């Protein structure tokens, strides 16, 4: 199994992600330049965190027009696995591969801190190595992570188990305080209807080694390995 | 032709930045300020288009790029012919 990590101008978690995939998970990982037209045989494409195009216009709004994103769209439409982390999640929303949009955090502050999220659905290809209700500790680092979607979309994603992670307190309880950015339904991660595309605001790559303070993020990458193997 | 496009959050979407500005104005004593909505302004120069052509093009680029229709709405006007 091979990963591909897309690099946009302004990506800044690209090499952290490559490190986690190559050195921690131990899988070959291609670095994919946003101007290329080739996914180089990747079984899973990761859009990393950062500030693609300086967050100009809206977070993720310009990156969606990158040449490689047309390949990523086709790959996703054929069922290929796509993971968007933080800015990568914002790009997937702008691209329309996931529903909804991100608003500025409720407290108007850039939030850079560890949070806890609860696994809402352990049946996805991104969480099958975890268990429902499991609390994962991972860092967030974003200004625009306040998830918004209209009521019909929220009802659809709730009903179909597409909410993968919700912000929670360390005991797994959903509280206003734990929902640090004000996301509707405390959504921290969700999939598309087909289940092959996921966006998440927390950074699993920054929580993949003990020296970083948590290894909980490995569950996401290990789930992908299982999904590909089966 | 120069057009001005104003993009702002939909009325149904909470605007925490607008609220912060309103609160600051209240703190300064401007009690008449009831509500503030924050947005973005784009001034775009268009070459060789008639008014009718501009009336087709501007909504298209506003919808496709300048605004995110899930959370934002837009208005536009011609500044100079």
């Amino acid at each position: 199994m091979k990963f591909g990590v897309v690099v946009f101008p302004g990506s800044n978690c690209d090499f952290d992600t490559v490190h986690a995939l190559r050195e921690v998970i131990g899988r070959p990982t291609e670095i994919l330049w946003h101007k290329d037209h080739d996914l180089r045989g990747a079984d899973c494409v990761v859009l990393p965190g950062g500030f693609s195009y300086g967050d100009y216009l809206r977070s993720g709004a310009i990156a969606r027009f990158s040449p490689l994103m047309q390949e990523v769209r086709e790959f996703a439409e054929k069922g290929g696995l796509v993971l968007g982390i933080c800015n990568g999640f914002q790009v997937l929303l702008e691209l329309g591969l996931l529903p909804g949009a991100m608003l500025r955090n409720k407290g108007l502050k850039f939030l850079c801190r560890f949070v806890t999220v609860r696994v809402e659905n352990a049946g996805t290809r991104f969480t099958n190595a975890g268990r429902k209700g499991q609390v994962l500790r991972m860092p967030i680092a974003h200004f625009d992570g306040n998830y918004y979607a209209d009521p019909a979309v929220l009802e659809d994603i709730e009903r179909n188990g597409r909410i993968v992670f919700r912000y929670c307190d360390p005991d797994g309880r959903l509280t206003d305080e734990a929902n640090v950015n004000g996301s509707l339904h405390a959504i921290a991660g969700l999939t598309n209807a087909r289940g092959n595309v996921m966006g998440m605001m927390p950074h699993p790559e920054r929580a993949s080694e003990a020296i970083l303070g948590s290894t909980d993020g490995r569950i996401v990458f290990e789930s992908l390995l299982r999904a590909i193997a089966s | 032709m120069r057009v001005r496009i104003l993009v702002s959050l939909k009325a149904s979407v909470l605007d925490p930045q607008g609220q912060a500005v309103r609160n600051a104005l209240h703190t300064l004593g401007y009690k008449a300020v009831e509500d503030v909505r924050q947005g973005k302004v784009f001034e775009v120069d268009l070459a060789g288009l008639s008014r009718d052509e501009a009336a087709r093009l501007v909504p298209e680029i506003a919808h496709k790029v300048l605004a995110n229709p899930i959370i934002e709405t837009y208005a536009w006007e011609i500044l100079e012919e």
Side-chain angles (χ1 to χ4, degrees):
Chain A
M1 151 158 204
K2 194 198 232 182
F3 287 95
V5 176
V6 181
V7 180
F8 300 102
S11 295
N12 65 9
C13 302
D14 40 357
F15 282 82
D16 298 34
T17 306
V18 169
H19 169 82
L21 294 170
R22 282 185 184 162
E23 310 301 329
V24 182
I25 303 299
R27 296 293 154 152
T29 301
E30 296 278 356
I31 296 167
L32 306 171
W33 182 235
H34 73 113
K35 282 192 171 166
D36 289 346
H37 284 278
D38 183 1
L39 299 178
R40 296 195 203 160
D43 301 294
C44 173
V45 174
V46 183
L47 308 182
F51 299 85
S52 57
Y53 295 89
D55 275 354
Y56 295 169
L57 190 60
R58 295 177 301 278
S59 306
I62 308 289
R64 89 175 207 259
F65 298 110
S66 284
L68 191 69
M69 291 314 294
Q70 309 322 309
E71 315 293 320
V72 172
R73 182 199 288 276
E74 284 170 25
F75 178 72
E77 283 167 358
K78 283 187 218 147
L81 289 169
V82 178
L83 168 64
I85 300 166
C86 194
N87 187 229
F89 186 5
Q90 294 162 339
V91 174
L92 291 173
L93 293 169
E94 285 282 343
L95 195 61
L97 286 179
L98 292 172
M102 288 298 179
L103 298 170
R104 190 123 287 191
N105 296 339
K106 68 177 174 187
L108 297 174
K109 284 199 171 73
F110 186 95
L111 297 171
C112 182
R113 49 171 285 199
F114 268 94
V115 295
T116 40
V117 297
R118 193 172 77 187
V119 177
E120 298 295 301
N121 182 349
T124 79
R125 281 171 262 188
F126 304 87
T127 49
N128 61 61
R131 56 177 200 284
K132 188 174 162 63
Q134 187 174 0
V135 174
L136 305 179
R137 194 166 164 273
M138 289 183 273
I140 54 166
H142 61 249
F143 218 146
D144 303 300
N146 180 352
Y147 181 78
Y148 174 87
D150 66 43
V153 169
L154 287 169
E155 195 194 325
D156 175 53
I157 61 179
E158 284 280 3
R159 201 177 45 232
N160 292 299
R162 289 168 54 187
I163 297 169
V164 182
F165 300 118
R166 275 189 236 263
Y167 300 104
C168 66
D169 72 10
D171 298 317
R173 287 182 299 245
L174 304 179
T175 64
D176 278 348
E177 198 182 23
N179 185 9
V180 289
N181 53 28
S183 290
L184 290 181
H185 296 213
I187 291 169
L190 82 154
T191 67
N192 62 348
R194 195 169 170 180
N196 62 308
V197 177
M198 179 175 85
M200 61 188 291
M201 287 316 287
H203 286 267
E205 80 283 6
R206 293 192 198 173
S208 57
E209 291 171 280
I211 196 169
L212 300 177
S214 171
T215 58
D216 291 352
R218 289 174 62 160
I219 281 174
V220 173
F221 304 124
E222 283 162 2
S223 297
L224 286 164
L225 295 185
R226 286 196 197 188
I228 294 278
S230 62
Chain B
M1 180 187 301
R2 172 167 290 184
V3 298
R4 178 184 286 156
I5 302 152
L6 175 69
V7 174
S8 55
L9 288 170
K10 285 179 179 172
S12 56
V13 174
L14 189 70
D15 177 7
Q17 294 182 99
Q19 286 184 344
V21 173
R22 182 199 60 197
N23 294 346
L25 291 170
H26 283 179
T27 305
L28 291 174
Y30 296 106
K31 300 297 181 202
V33 174
E34 237 174 55
D35 195 18
V36 177
R37 305 287 288 176
Q38 186 172 318
K40 296 173 196 164
V41 173
F42 300 86
E43 286 186 3
V44 181
D45 291 323
L46 300 169
L49 293 190
S50 67
R51 288 183 80 102
D52 283 352
E53 286 165 333
R56 279 193 295 275
L57 181 86
V58 173
E60 186 180 320
I61 63 173
H63 195 80
K64 219 185 253 182
V65 182
L66 303 182
N68 180 341
I70 296 169
I71 48 174
E72 293 170 326
T73 181
Y74 67 89
W76 70 284
E77 60 181 327
I78 294 172
L79 294 181
E80 285 171 30
E81 291 285 337

